[in-house]
Amino acid sequence: MALFLCVAVVALLALAYTAAPGWLWTIFGAMLLAEFTRASGFHAAMLAVDALFVLVAIVLLAPPLRRVLITRHALAWYRRILPPMSQTEREAIDAGTVWWDGDLFTGKPDWKKLLASPAPRLTPEEQSFLDNEAEELCAMTSEWESTQIHQDISPQAWQFIKDNGFLGMIIPREYGGRGFSAYMHSQVIQKLSTRASALAVSVMVPNSLGPAELLLNYGTDAQKNHYLPRLAKGLEIPCFGLTNPHAGSDAAAIPDHGIVCRGMWEGREVLGMRVTWEKRYITLGPVATLLGLAFRLYDPDHLLSGVYENAHGGREDIGITCALVPTHTPGVNIGRRHFPLNAVFQNGPNWGKDVFMPLDWIIGGPHMAGQGWRMLMECLAAGRSISLPSSSTGVTKLAARATGAYARVRNQFKTPIGKFEGIEEPLARIGGHLYMMDAARRTTAAAVDMGEKPSVLSAIVKYHLTERGRSTVNDAMDILGGKGICLGPNNFMGRAYQQIPIAITVEGANILTRSLIIFGQGAIRCHPWVLREMAAVREADPVRAEVLFDAALFGHIRFSLSMVARAFVLGVFNGNFLPSPVGGPVKRHYQHLTRLSTDFAMLADFCMLFMGGDLKRREKMSARLGDILSLLYLCSCALKRWHDDGSPEEDRPLLDWSIRSALFDARRAIDGLLANFPSPFVAWLLWNLVYPFGRPFHHPSDDLGHRVARLLLEPSATRDRLTEGMYLPKSAEEPIAVLEAALTAAIQTEAIERKIRAAHKAGTLKAGAEIGHDAGAEAEAAVATGVISAAEAGALARFAQLRDEVIRVDHFPPDFGLSESLQADPKRAAA
Ligand SMILES: Cc1cc2nc3c(=O)[nH]c(=O)nc-3n(C[C@H](O)[C@H](O)[C@H](O)COP(=O)(O)OP(=O)(O)OC[C@H]3O[C@@H](n4cnc5c(N)ncnc54)[C@H](O)[C@@H]3O)c2cc1C
């Protein structure tokens, strides 16, 4: 009997694991019961159980009966627990596409599909633009000059941007734009952000969600033909105004409004709208010539009814509407400037009261009135996938390259600080995070180029890349010490440190994105069954609703059972038998991630089952589930990058560190989820399913961290790959160029310094002339005693000079040069 029970349990697990169809379960159940009935000697109680089984089997296997007896009631219950959804929430959920995020929700991602997706590539023309125009633009700008002298990018840089099509990178060539790929767009933003944030932002905004993107997707031919060539050439500077003082994160609640009315326009009476708005924080607003404006349109007199084909059903509240408003329109007020954390890109408020404008100004024409929110949500994915992920990765590349070099050049306690274990820790974080960030940036841009509008993935990269950017800049500041704190042209990190909260706040503030968006939207869009269940609930025809819901419900049940069985089996075997698209040591990463994906799918289902609509309010739980989904995505990107790069063994410490660290974070998210699960008993059950033999996934070891840190401390192909695409100034006087030279010199002179130290130890060199004490005298003494050659002494002197330059910080007159700048600008002095 024991053997029979064991076989039965294994068979049960196998049926669940493989999501077997109902009839197979029935056959198995019948065999099981037959054996129990025989063993019981055909006991009456057992025969009653058999009869019950037959009844249940008939109900389950006969769809019409099943629908009446089970599905109908389940549907009513589902309708009750489903949280109410506003039109704007529905439009946000419906927007965009599902790609690899869908695979991660299945619990068994198809790795071969991911690896087979095209690696991002630039065309020769794009590469040339990056190597020439983008390079030249970087060379004519600097962070210090823009933040301290121009309070903007310089007029020459602005002109160069307009003349060279930087503002029209996403506009197709037929309209005079550059027609670049999403990946190229990302490469440009990344490069500019390694030079000056105002440069990156000023180029990023017109190429992100705003007039050009909206026109391309929804504009009428007349609007496209008029505006796109002008935007491409920089004849129009666009901005987009959504945020109102009373509606920031809850942007759909903007009180800005337009009333449909008749009015005079260019000498004749036309149907138009009187728009009142107050916008703030609008990037490029103070210099914009074309204002994209979002407001809620009302038609109280039903003037649109009968006039246009789609008369909006005679509704008074037409909905959020987007229009293009030339800023010279009478009544448009462009305010002064906000001062966003020393980032100095143009940003400010604008407003208008009862400004009359024709209906033709609505993007897409009058029949697109009320479609604004859908338009914004649909277009958000592309811009959010590119802008901030690229600029955050750029800043992290700068931090990795420059801080790594600094840590090698800067000595304390007669040792390069980068060799202290304490400094290795932040260096390892910088290197590991950067590897994964760049992987996610590249993979997501490539997905956009494949035609995806990845709404959930774009939220993931927006949140996680800006957060990792913030952590990296903090780490870099700690490593740099006072050098990072004293601002000036020689400080390559201080401004980035000041500016980093901007990336956290814009395009969906990070706390909101993590707590509400990533899992909230992911669970509905990416889950294999939830969207189908919701579609069934929305179905008006009750019979069809039952049929649809029946298929979705039983598919969902089979899926959930499969995830439970898989989580347990994969936990017992630690995923060891799982297939992997590659062999060797990297295989374990694939196996761990498949296991985590299964655990995630199971936990997500249990959370939805036990918390239902309440999950929307339980943001901490939703955030943890979002973290697991996000970390699965980031790890997938790291593996894809490793594959696309040709699996270079030298880069493996970066891959290993980034994946182990992410798996460890995912485990902590699971711990938090289970510790706060509403039912302690179910939490205990889940714990034992996920961790049958204790918790897996540990923090990267010290040794691995050491190997990652070392990669930042010396020039190598790996370091170049890690910081690929950043701007490396050609002029030898530039702080980054000096750092690069000093790093090379530090490595070249290490052997010479070792000779001198050995001579000291051996007593060949006189005491008192120690390295760092009086290096010049010591080198002379070393040459005189034949310890080193004159050429080697020259190399030491050159390194000493470079190191002095590297550690130098800027200083200013007592008034920080204000009087000097007033003298140079008499108009300002007079004011
Ligand atoms: C420099 C800069 C440039 C900008 N550029 C533009 C632009 O060009 N066009 C434009 O229209 N707007 C722009 N914005 C506005 C930007 O999109 C908003 O700042 C952003 O939406 C956040 O709104 P808020 O600042 O009013 O913060 P609030 O909405 O007041 O949020 C404050 C905090 O509460 C959190 N929060 C809010 N709701 C929730 C929730 N449900 N759950 C958990 N946490 C929540 C947020 O995450 C945030 O941490 C810009 C802002 C800045 C600072």
PDB file of all heavy atoms in Angstrom, residues 240-243 248-249 280-283 340 345 347 502 505-507 509-512 515-516 619, ligand 1:
ATOM      1  N   PHE A 240       5.290  69.395 -23.586  1.00  0.00           N
ATOM      2  CA  PHE A 240       3.978  68.791 -23.368  1.00  0.00           C
ATOM      3  C   PHE A 240       3.510  69.057 -21.946  1.00  0.00           C
ATOM      4  O   PHE A 240       4.205  68.733 -20.977  1.00  0.00           O
ATOM      5  CB  PHE A 240       3.992  67.287 -23.646  1.00  0.00           C
ATOM      6  CG  PHE A 240       2.590  66.762 -23.740  1.00  0.00           C
ATOM      7  CD1 PHE A 240       1.877  66.882 -24.929  1.00  0.00           C
ATOM      8  CD2 PHE A 240       1.947  66.234 -22.642  1.00  0.00           C
ATOM      9  CE1 PHE A 240       0.555  66.474 -25.018  1.00  0.00           C
ATOM     10  CE2 PHE A 240       0.619  65.815 -22.715  1.00  0.00           C
ATOM     11  CZ  PHE A 240      -0.074  65.934 -23.906  1.00  0.00           C
ATOM     12  N   GLY A 241       2.337  69.649 -21.818  1.00  0.00           N
ATOM     13  CA  GLY A 241       1.815  70.030 -20.507  1.00  0.00           C
ATOM     14  C   GLY A 241       0.680  69.121 -20.069  1.00  0.00           C
ATOM     15  O   GLY A 241      -0.419  69.171 -20.632  1.00  0.00           O
ATOM     16  N   LEU A 242       0.966  68.300 -19.089  1.00  0.00           N
ATOM     17  CA  LEU A 242      -0.075  67.450 -18.500  1.00  0.00           C
ATOM     18  C   LEU A 242      -0.265  67.837 -17.028  1.00  0.00           C
ATOM     19  O   LEU A 242      -1.384  68.026 -16.555  1.00  0.00           O
ATOM     20  CB  LEU A 242       0.350  65.965 -18.616  1.00  0.00           C
ATOM     21  CG  LEU A 242      -0.538  64.938 -17.917  1.00  0.00           C
ATOM     22  CD1 LEU A 242      -1.930  64.926 -18.519  1.00  0.00           C
ATOM     23  CD2 LEU A 242       0.064  63.529 -18.046  1.00  0.00           C
ATOM     24  N   THR A 243       0.864  68.001 -16.310  1.00  0.00           N
ATOM     25  CA  THR A 243       0.800  68.162 -14.856  1.00  0.00           C
ATOM     26  C   THR A 243       0.212  69.511 -14.445  1.00  0.00           C
ATOM     27  O   THR A 243       0.619  70.557 -14.953  1.00  0.00           O
ATOM     28  CB  THR A 243       2.231  68.022 -14.273  1.00  0.00           C
ATOM     29  OG1 THR A 243       2.760  66.786 -14.736  1.00  0.00           O
ATOM     30  CG2 THR A 243       2.211  68.048 -12.763  1.00  0.00           C
ATOM     31  N   GLY A 248      -0.748  65.651 -10.006  1.00  0.00           N
ATOM     32  CA  GLY A 248       0.598  65.245 -10.415  1.00  0.00           C
ATOM     33  C   GLY A 248       0.563  63.778 -10.806  1.00  0.00           C
ATOM     34  O   GLY A 248       0.331  63.433 -11.971  1.00  0.00           O
ATOM     35  N   SER A 249       0.734  62.900  -9.803  1.00  0.00           N
ATOM     36  CA  SER A 249       0.679  61.455 -10.091  1.00  0.00           C
ATOM     37  C   SER A 249      -0.697  61.063 -10.602  1.00  0.00           C
ATOM     38  O   SER A 249      -0.823  60.218 -11.489  1.00  0.00           O
ATOM     39  CB  SER A 249       0.984  60.663  -8.819  1.00  0.00           C
ATOM     40  OG  SER A 249       2.266  60.988  -8.352  1.00  0.00           O
ATOM     41  N   ARG A 280       2.356  73.102 -14.534  1.00  0.00           N
ATOM     42  CA  ARG A 280       3.675  73.420 -13.957  1.00  0.00           C
ATOM     43  C   ARG A 280       4.642  72.289 -14.238  1.00  0.00           C
ATOM     44  O   ARG A 280       4.240  71.203 -14.650  1.00  0.00           O
ATOM     45  CB  ARG A 280       3.565  73.699 -12.467  1.00  0.00           C
ATOM     46  CG  ARG A 280       3.148  72.514 -11.624  1.00  0.00           C
ATOM     47  CD  ARG A 280       3.230  72.869 -10.145  1.00  0.00           C
ATOM     48  NE  ARG A 280       2.805  71.758  -9.324  1.00  0.00           N
ATOM     49  CZ  ARG A 280       2.735  71.797  -8.010  1.00  0.00           C
ATOM     50  NH1 ARG A 280       3.035  72.892  -7.350  1.00  0.00           N
ATOM     51  NH2 ARG A 280       2.353  70.740  -7.315  1.00  0.00           N
ATOM     52  N   TYR A 281       5.905  72.587 -13.978  1.00  0.00           N
ATOM     53  CA  TYR A 281       7.020  71.631 -14.197  1.00  0.00           C
ATOM     54  C   TYR A 281       7.206  71.287 -15.675  1.00  0.00           C
ATOM     55  O   TYR A 281       7.709  70.200 -15.985  1.00  0.00           O
ATOM     56  CB  TYR A 281       6.790  70.297 -13.476  1.00  0.00           C
ATOM     57  CG  TYR A 281       6.502  70.339 -12.015  1.00  0.00           C
ATOM     58  CD1 TYR A 281       5.616  69.415 -11.458  1.00  0.00           C
ATOM     59  CD2 TYR A 281       7.129  71.238 -11.163  1.00  0.00           C
ATOM     60  CE1 TYR A 281       5.355  69.393 -10.103  1.00  0.00           C
ATOM     61  CE2 TYR A 281       6.868  71.228  -9.802  1.00  0.00           C
ATOM     62  CZ  TYR A 281       5.975  70.308  -9.276  1.00  0.00           C
ATOM     63  OH  TYR A 281       5.710  70.285  -7.946  1.00  0.00           O
ATOM     64  N   ILE A 282       6.811  72.102 -16.596  1.00  0.00           N
ATOM     65  CA  ILE A 282       6.804  71.676 -17.998  1.00  0.00           C
ATOM     66  C   ILE A 282       8.193  71.874 -18.626  1.00  0.00           C
ATOM     67  O   ILE A 282       8.670  73.006 -18.788  1.00  0.00           O
ATOM     68  CB  ILE A 282       5.715  72.423 -18.802  1.00  0.00           C
ATOM     69  CG1 ILE A 282       4.365  72.271 -18.082  1.00  0.00           C
ATOM     70  CG2 ILE A 282       5.640  71.915 -20.240  1.00  0.00           C
ATOM     71  CD1 ILE A 282       3.955  70.835 -17.741  1.00  0.00           C
ATOM     72  N   THR A 283       8.796  70.757 -18.979  1.00  0.00           N
ATOM     73  CA  THR A 283      10.153  70.793 -19.523  1.00  0.00           C
ATOM     74  C   THR A 283      10.140  71.411 -20.922  1.00  0.00           C
ATOM     75  O   THR A 283       9.290  71.050 -21.754  1.00  0.00           O
ATOM     76  CB  THR A 283      10.753  69.371 -19.551  1.00  0.00           C
ATOM     77  OG1 THR A 283      10.715  68.890 -18.218  1.00  0.00           O
ATOM     78  CG2 THR A 283      12.186  69.384 -20.048  1.00  0.00           C
ATOM     79  N   PRO A 340      15.069  73.263 -11.327  1.00  0.00           N
ATOM     80  CA  PRO A 340      15.055  71.865 -10.886  1.00  0.00           C
ATOM     81  C   PRO A 340      16.441  71.336 -10.509  1.00  0.00           C
ATOM     82  O   PRO A 340      17.167  70.806 -11.338  1.00  0.00           O
ATOM     83  CB  PRO A 340      14.483  71.103 -12.073  1.00  0.00           C
ATOM     84  CG  PRO A 340      14.520  72.038 -13.236  1.00  0.00           C
ATOM     85  CD  PRO A 340      14.966  73.385 -12.782  1.00  0.00           C
ATOM     86  N   PHE A 345      18.047  72.563 -17.212  1.00  0.00           N
ATOM     87  CA  PHE A 345      17.294  72.505 -18.473  1.00  0.00           C
ATOM     88  C   PHE A 345      16.075  73.404 -18.287  1.00  0.00           C
ATOM     89  O   PHE A 345      15.660  73.709 -17.168  1.00  0.00           O
ATOM     90  CB  PHE A 345      16.895  71.076 -18.844  1.00  0.00           C
ATOM     91  CG  PHE A 345      16.138  70.328 -17.781  1.00  0.00           C
ATOM     92  CD1 PHE A 345      14.766  70.475 -17.642  1.00  0.00           C
ATOM     93  CD2 PHE A 345      16.800  69.465 -16.916  1.00  0.00           C
ATOM     94  CE1 PHE A 345      14.070  69.787 -16.668  1.00  0.00           C
ATOM     95  CE2 PHE A 345      16.108  68.776 -15.935  1.00  0.00           C
ATOM     96  CZ  PHE A 345      14.738  68.940 -15.806  1.00  0.00           C
ATOM     97  N   ASN A 347      12.575  74.620 -17.785  1.00  0.00           N
ATOM     98  CA  ASN A 347      11.398  74.003 -17.170  1.00  0.00           C
ATOM     99  C   ASN A 347      10.608  75.098 -16.475  1.00  0.00           C
ATOM    100  O   ASN A 347      11.189  75.944 -15.806  1.00  0.00           O
ATOM    101  CB  ASN A 347      11.886  72.941 -16.159  1.00  0.00           C
ATOM    102  CG  ASN A 347      10.732  72.191 -15.511  1.00  0.00           C
ATOM    103  OD1 ASN A 347      10.085  72.722 -14.614  1.00  0.00           O
ATOM    104  ND2 ASN A 347      10.488  70.979 -15.951  1.00  0.00           N
ATOM    105  N   ILE A 502      15.494  64.011  -9.880  1.00  0.00           N
ATOM    106  CA  ILE A 502      14.592  64.395 -10.981  1.00  0.00           C
ATOM    107  C   ILE A 502      14.138  63.142 -11.729  1.00  0.00           C
ATOM    108  O   ILE A 502      12.946  62.953 -12.006  1.00  0.00           O
ATOM    109  CB  ILE A 502      15.295  65.373 -11.946  1.00  0.00           C
ATOM    110  CG1 ILE A 502      15.673  66.655 -11.204  1.00  0.00           C
ATOM    111  CG2 ILE A 502      14.387  65.693 -13.139  1.00  0.00           C
ATOM    112  CD1 ILE A 502      16.518  67.612 -12.019  1.00  0.00           C
ATOM    113  N   THR A 505      11.490  61.280  -9.987  1.00  0.00           N
ATOM    114  CA  THR A 505      10.156  61.901  -9.873  1.00  0.00           C
ATOM    115  C   THR A 505       9.354  61.906 -11.172  1.00  0.00           C
ATOM    116  O   THR A 505       8.140  61.728 -11.146  1.00  0.00           O
ATOM    117  CB  THR A 505      10.324  63.364  -9.387  1.00  0.00           C
ATOM    118  OG1 THR A 505      10.972  63.321  -8.128  1.00  0.00           O
ATOM    119  CG2 THR A 505       8.992  64.072  -9.241  1.00  0.00           C
ATOM    120  N   VAL A 506      10.026  62.115 -12.307  1.00  0.00           N
ATOM    121  CA  VAL A 506       9.267  62.348 -13.543  1.00  0.00           C
ATOM    122  C   VAL A 506       8.861  61.027 -14.229  1.00  0.00           C
ATOM    123  O   VAL A 506       9.338  59.970 -13.860  1.00  0.00           O
ATOM    124  CB  VAL A 506      10.060  63.238 -14.530  1.00  0.00           C
ATOM    125  CG1 VAL A 506      10.353  64.586 -13.894  1.00  0.00           C
ATOM    126  CG2 VAL A 506      11.356  62.567 -14.954  1.00  0.00           C
ATOM    127  N   GLU A 507       8.003  61.145 -15.209  1.00  0.00           N
ATOM    128  CA  GLU A 507       7.493  59.996 -15.988  1.00  0.00           C
ATOM    129  C   GLU A 507       6.962  58.883 -15.097  1.00  0.00           C
ATOM    130  O   GLU A 507       7.263  57.711 -15.292  1.00  0.00           O
ATOM    131  CB  GLU A 507       8.554  59.474 -16.958  1.00  0.00           C
ATOM    132  CG  GLU A 507       8.835  60.462 -18.071  1.00  0.00           C
ATOM    133  CD  GLU A 507       9.429  59.855 -19.331  1.00  0.00           C
ATOM    134  OE1 GLU A 507       9.625  58.630 -19.383  1.00  0.00           O
ATOM    135  OE2 GLU A 507       9.701  60.618 -20.258  1.00  0.00           O
ATOM    136  N   ALA A 509       6.235  58.937 -10.844  1.00  0.00           N
ATOM    137  CA  ALA A 509       7.119  58.975  -9.672  1.00  0.00           C
ATOM    138  C   ALA A 509       7.376  57.542  -9.197  1.00  0.00           C
ATOM    139  O   ALA A 509       6.505  56.676  -9.275  1.00  0.00           O
ATOM    140  CB  ALA A 509       6.486  59.818  -8.578  1.00  0.00           C
ATOM    141  N   ASN A 510       8.620  57.306  -8.724  1.00  0.00           N
ATOM    142  CA  ASN A 510       9.034  55.921  -8.515  1.00  0.00           C
ATOM    143  C   ASN A 510       8.217  55.147  -7.482  1.00  0.00           C
ATOM    144  O   ASN A 510       7.934  53.966  -7.674  1.00  0.00           O
ATOM    145  CB  ASN A 510      10.524  55.875  -8.149  1.00  0.00           C
ATOM    146  CG  ASN A 510      11.381  55.849  -9.394  1.00  0.00           C
ATOM    147  OD1 ASN A 510      10.877  56.076 -10.494  1.00  0.00           O
ATOM    148  ND2 ASN A 510      12.660  55.584  -9.250  1.00  0.00           N
ATOM    149  N   ILE A 511       7.844  55.820  -6.389  1.00  0.00           N
ATOM    150  CA  ILE A 511       7.102  55.069  -5.361  1.00  0.00           C
ATOM    151  C   ILE A 511       5.780  54.581  -5.961  1.00  0.00           C
ATOM    152  O   ILE A 511       5.392  53.419  -5.810  1.00  0.00           O
ATOM    153  CB  ILE A 511       6.860  55.941  -4.107  1.00  0.00           C
ATOM    154  CG1 ILE A 511       8.199  56.278  -3.447  1.00  0.00           C
ATOM    155  CG2 ILE A 511       5.948  55.220  -3.123  1.00  0.00           C
ATOM    156  CD1 ILE A 511       8.092  57.164  -2.210  1.00  0.00           C
ATOM    157  N   LEU A 512       5.128  55.466  -6.660  1.00  0.00           N
ATOM    158  CA  LEU A 512       3.862  55.099  -7.311  1.00  0.00           C
ATOM    159  C   LEU A 512       4.084  53.980  -8.333  1.00  0.00           C
ATOM    160  O   LEU A 512       3.330  53.004  -8.389  1.00  0.00           O
ATOM    161  CB  LEU A 512       3.291  56.340  -8.004  1.00  0.00           C
ATOM    162  CG  LEU A 512       2.140  56.123  -8.962  1.00  0.00           C
ATOM    163  CD1 LEU A 512       0.827  56.341  -8.257  1.00  0.00           C
ATOM    164  CD2 LEU A 512       2.250  57.064 -10.140  1.00  0.00           C
ATOM    165  N   SER A 515       4.713  50.753  -6.409  1.00  0.00           N
ATOM    166  CA  SER A 515       3.645  50.269  -5.540  1.00  0.00           C
ATOM    167  C   SER A 515       2.364  49.951  -6.287  1.00  0.00           C
ATOM    168  O   SER A 515       1.574  49.134  -5.832  1.00  0.00           O
ATOM    169  CB  SER A 515       3.298  51.323  -4.489  1.00  0.00           C
ATOM    170  OG  SER A 515       4.443  51.890  -3.960  1.00  0.00           O
ATOM    171  N   LEU A 516       2.145  50.619  -7.390  1.00  0.00           N
ATOM    172  CA  LEU A 516       0.829  50.532  -8.010  1.00  0.00           C
ATOM    173  C   LEU A 516       0.879  49.998  -9.441  1.00  0.00           C
ATOM    174  O   LEU A 516       0.021  49.241  -9.858  1.00  0.00           O
ATOM    175  CB  LEU A 516       0.223  51.948  -8.023  1.00  0.00           C
ATOM    176  CG  LEU A 516      -1.276  52.082  -8.023  1.00  0.00           C
ATOM    177  CD1 LEU A 516      -1.857  51.501  -6.746  1.00  0.00           C
ATOM    178  CD2 LEU A 516      -1.657  53.555  -8.135  1.00  0.00           C
ATOM    179  N   GLU A 619      -0.454  48.178  -1.129  1.00  0.00           N
ATOM    180  CA  GLU A 619       0.616  48.543  -2.063  1.00  0.00           C
ATOM    181  C   GLU A 619       1.954  47.892  -1.711  1.00  0.00           C
ATOM    182  O   GLU A 619       2.775  47.640  -2.586  1.00  0.00           O
ATOM    183  CB  GLU A 619       0.781  50.064  -2.089  1.00  0.00           C
ATOM    184  CG  GLU A 619      -0.379  50.784  -2.750  1.00  0.00           C
ATOM    185  CD  GLU A 619      -0.087  52.249  -2.967  1.00  0.00           C
ATOM    186  OE1 GLU A 619       0.874  52.780  -2.379  1.00  0.00           O
ATOM    187  OE2 GLU A 619      -0.835  52.885  -3.741  1.00  0.00           O
TER     188      GLU A 619
HETATM  189  C1  LIG B   1      11.966  68.486 -13.457  1.00  0.00           C
HETATM  190  C2  LIG B   1      10.608  68.056 -13.807  1.00  0.00           C
HETATM  191  C3  LIG B   1      10.208  67.976 -15.134  1.00  0.00           C
HETATM  192  C4  LIG B   1       8.904  67.649 -15.468  1.00  0.00           C
HETATM  193  N1  LIG B   1       8.500  67.697 -16.774  1.00  0.00           N
HETATM  194  C5  LIG B   1       7.164  67.567 -17.038  1.00  0.00           C
HETATM  195  C6  LIG B   1       6.664  67.817 -18.364  1.00  0.00           C
HETATM  196  O1  LIG B   1       7.419  68.120 -19.289  1.00  0.00           O
HETATM  197  N2  LIG B   1       5.336  67.712 -18.567  1.00  0.00           N
HETATM  198  C7  LIG B   1       4.463  67.378 -17.571  1.00  0.00           C
HETATM  199  O2  LIG B   1       3.278  67.317 -17.815  1.00  0.00           O
HETATM  200  N3  LIG B   1       4.912  67.119 -16.321  1.00  0.00           N
HETATM  201  C8  LIG B   1       6.222  67.220 -16.032  1.00  0.00           C
HETATM  202  N4  LIG B   1       6.683  66.993 -14.758  1.00  0.00           N
HETATM  203  C9  LIG B   1       5.739  66.583 -13.729  1.00  0.00           C
HETATM  204  C10 LIG B   1       5.961  65.160 -13.230  1.00  0.00           C
HETATM  205  O3  LIG B   1       5.443  64.255 -14.141  1.00  0.00           O
HETATM  206  C11 LIG B   1       5.304  65.093 -11.845  1.00  0.00           C
HETATM  207  O4  LIG B   1       6.186  65.767 -10.983  1.00  0.00           O
HETATM  208  C12 LIG B   1       5.072  63.696 -11.395  1.00  0.00           C
HETATM  209  O5  LIG B   1       3.991  63.162 -12.086  1.00  0.00           O
HETATM  210  C13 LIG B   1       4.773  63.625  -9.900  1.00  0.00           C
HETATM  211  O6  LIG B   1       3.783  64.532  -9.531  1.00  0.00           O
HETATM  212  P1  LIG B   1       4.009  65.497  -8.275  1.00  0.00           P
HETATM  213  O7  LIG B   1       5.359  66.089  -8.387  1.00  0.00           O
HETATM  214  O8  LIG B   1       2.865  66.409  -8.204  1.00  0.00           O
HETATM  215  O9  LIG B   1       4.039  64.517  -7.027  1.00  0.00           O
HETATM  216  P2  LIG B   1       2.779  63.876  -6.277  1.00  0.00           P
HETATM  217  O10 LIG B   1       1.818  63.339  -7.260  1.00  0.00           O
HETATM  218  O11 LIG B   1       2.301  64.837  -5.272  1.00  0.00           O
HETATM  219  O12 LIG B   1       3.469  62.645  -5.567  1.00  0.00           O
HETATM  220  C14 LIG B   1       4.223  62.784  -4.357  1.00  0.00           C
HETATM  221  C15 LIG B   1       4.660  61.404  -3.895  1.00  0.00           C
HETATM  222  O13 LIG B   1       3.520  60.571  -3.654  1.00  0.00           O
HETATM  223  C16 LIG B   1       3.673  59.342  -4.319  1.00  0.00           C
HETATM  224  N5  LIG B   1       2.356  58.845  -4.698  1.00  0.00           N
HETATM  225  C17 LIG B   1       1.360  59.492  -5.328  1.00  0.00           C
HETATM  226  N6  LIG B   1       0.315  58.671  -5.486  1.00  0.00           N
HETATM  227  C18 LIG B   1       0.655  57.472  -4.955  1.00  0.00           C
HETATM  228  C19 LIG B   1       0.014  56.207  -4.800  1.00  0.00           C
HETATM  229  N7  LIG B   1      -1.206  55.958  -5.252  1.00  0.00           N
HETATM  230  N8  LIG B   1       0.690  55.220  -4.198  1.00  0.00           N
HETATM  231  C20 LIG B   1       1.929  55.418  -3.729  1.00  0.00           C
HETATM  232  N9  LIG B   1       2.589  56.587  -3.837  1.00  0.00           N
HETATM  233  C21 LIG B   1       1.957  57.592  -4.443  1.00  0.00           C
HETATM  234  C22 LIG B   1       4.545  59.647  -5.519  1.00  0.00           C
HETATM  235  O14 LIG B   1       5.214  58.486  -5.936  1.00  0.00           O
HETATM  236  C23 LIG B   1       5.503  60.681  -4.919  1.00  0.00           C
HETATM  237  O15 LIG B   1       6.532  59.994  -4.276  1.00  0.00           O
HETATM  238  C24 LIG B   1       7.997  67.302 -14.438  1.00  0.00           C
HETATM  239  C25 LIG B   1       8.396  67.331 -13.105  1.00  0.00           C
HETATM  240  C26 LIG B   1       9.674  67.715 -12.787  1.00  0.00           C
HETATM  241  C27 LIG B   1      10.061  67.785 -11.330  1.00  0.00           C
END
